[in-house]
Amino acid sequence: MIVESPQHGVLMLQPRCNMTCSFCVTEDSMGTMTFEVAQGLLRDLKRRNFASAIFGGGEPFFWPYDLKKILQYASELGLRTQVGTNAIKFPADFDQWDFVDRWVIPVDGVTSEVHNKLRSFQNRHLQIVTKTLSQLKDAGRSVTISTVITKNNQQEVMKIGEYLRTLQEGEKKIIHAWHLYKFLPFGRGGKLHQAELEISDELYEQIVREVRQQKLPFQVFKRKDMLLSKTVEFYWIEQGKLMLQSKSKGIQPAAI
Ligand code: SF4
């Protein structure tokens, strides 16, 4: 069945992060969502029969409210929960958080020269991510891998596919899906690094085709521009107001 109406609400909780990625699409001007607004929004998503709530930012573990509590709240409402995180500021027991249905973790290369070079201040990030993935696999958790395809990592995308194939081996299947994003010249990173990182539509399409020919043991999604997805609505705070953006509604204040 093809679902045409929004099913997934993305809560962009706040803009701060402990990394600086050259492709980051977050806008520094975004505000911070309060706990009460997030709760109200989750109730509204449930009332409108959304299937899942995806918590992002910035880095959601920098949200000044209780992330664990809001995830439990969403889960109790019956929403599937996903958290998009760079995995640096995880609490010690993250692999036991059974109210998180899926972690969304970035892998943008298989070598430090490529993955870490796309980010500043975290020269060991690839090592942190591979250790985290191994812990999540041992705990039987589910993850979506996100990769932003840029001029500087396009040569390693197939190798990421082979690394993920290896990670998926064995009885415990950690990878739900792999999302291949096209670099977008937006936000605090993307705008600054357009000349250095942007690839053509043709190259992006070719890389996605080649990845699909790898016949990987999980779904590979083409994510040329998430804002154009019919099934996703984005929510954030701007000048104190809750805003939403979706393909059908454009950008407008959210009435919840
Ligand atoms: S893309 Fe990088 S800098 Fe931007 S929010 Fe994610 S981890 Fe932080």
Side-chain angles (χ1 to χ4, degrees):
M1 184 182 72
I2 298 172
V3 179
E4 294 290 333
S5 57
Q7 289 290 299
H8 313 289
V10 178
L11 285 73
M12 291 147 75
L13 297 172
Q14 60 83 41
R16 290 172 58 227
C17 187
N18 44 5
M19 276 205 312
T20 308
C21 298
S22 49
F23 50 75
C24 184
V25 292
T26 304
E27 297 286 357
D28 283 326
S29 57
M30 188 165 83
T32 297
M33 206 177 281
T34 64
F35 193 87
E36 289 70 28
V37 168
Q39 271 184 317
L41 175 53
L42 291 168
R43 284 194 298 271
D44 187 62
L45 294 178
K46 183 62 191 169
R47 186 182 56 73
R48 292 192 289 137
N49 291 321
F50 274 51
S52 67
I54 302 157
F55 295 80
E59 170 54 49
F61 279 98
F62 265 37
W63 195 42
Y65 300 95
D66 193 333
L67 183 65
K68 184 175 183 177
K69 222 165 157 182
I70 200 71
L71 286 163
Q72 286 168 326
Y73 185 79
S75 180
E76 282 160 21
L77 282 176
L79 290 161
R80 279 203 312 273
T81 60
Q82 301 188 48
V83 185
T85 172
N86 62 29
I88 294 175
K89 204 172 179 275
F90 268 150
D93 63 345
F94 72 94
D95 52 356
Q96 302 306 315
W97 284 24
D98 54 11
F99 42 86
V100 174
D101 293 296
R102 195 160 296 135
W103 297 98
V104 184
I105 308 272
V107 179
D108 298 295
V110 291
T111 59
S112 287
E113 292 70 35
V114 172
H115 176 96
N116 294 340
K117 217 177 151 193
L118 284 162
R119 337 174 121 71
S120 305
F121 313 129
Q122 281 298 336
N123 293 332
R124 291 188 54 258
H125 188 248
L126 181 62
Q127 291 76 354
I128 292 169
V129 161
T130 47
K131 187 174 166 209
T132 299
L133 289 172
S134 148
Q135 255 179 290
L136 288 169
K137 176 165 177 156
D138 288 346
R141 300 290 171 210
S142 174
V143 304
T144 289
I145 302 294
S146 71
T147 298
V148 180
I149 305 180
T150 71
K151 225 182 257 174
N152 289 356
N153 68 347
Q154 41 104 0
Q155 76 283 9
E156 275 201 5
V157 178
M158 302 288 281
K159 286 184 191 160
I160 298 174
E162 289 312 324
Y163 159 64
L164 297 178
R165 189 199 299 282
T166 311
L167 193 63
Q168 192 74 332
E169 283 170 359
E171 259 174 51
K172 289 180 178 171
K173 303 299 177 200
I174 175 175
I175 301 173
H176 164 72
W178 184 18
H179 288 199
L180 296 173
Y181 293 92
K182 182 174 185 288
F183 168 82
L184 296 174
F186 307 142
R188 61 190 171 205
K191 268 183 221 151
L192 269 181
H193 299 98
Q194 181 172 11
E196 181 195 333
L197 298 180
E198 191 168 43
I199 58 168
S200 65
D201 283 358
E202 293 71 30
L203 180 56
Y204 172 74
E205 300 287 342
Q206 182 194 324
I207 292 169
V208 173
R209 265 198 312 277
E210 286 172 5
V211 165
R212 287 193 165 146
Q213 284 163 8
Q214 284 183 293
K215 303 276 178 242
L216 295 165
F218 41 79
Q219 286 180 293
V220 175
F221 287 102
K222 186 170 148 189
R223 296 287 186 233
K224 193 169 171 188
D225 186 346
M226 271 309 277
L227 294 176
L228 299 180
S229 169
K230 286 181 186 151
T231 61
V232 182
E233 274 186 9
F234 296 85
Y235 292 88
W236 72 99
I237 299 292
E238 193 176 299
Q239 295 179 339
K241 279 198 197 122
L242 182 65
M243 303 295 292
L244 83 78
Q245 181 167 11
S246 70
K247 185 165 190 228
S248 61
K249 296 176 185 165
I251 298 178
Q252 58 176 257
I256 59 166

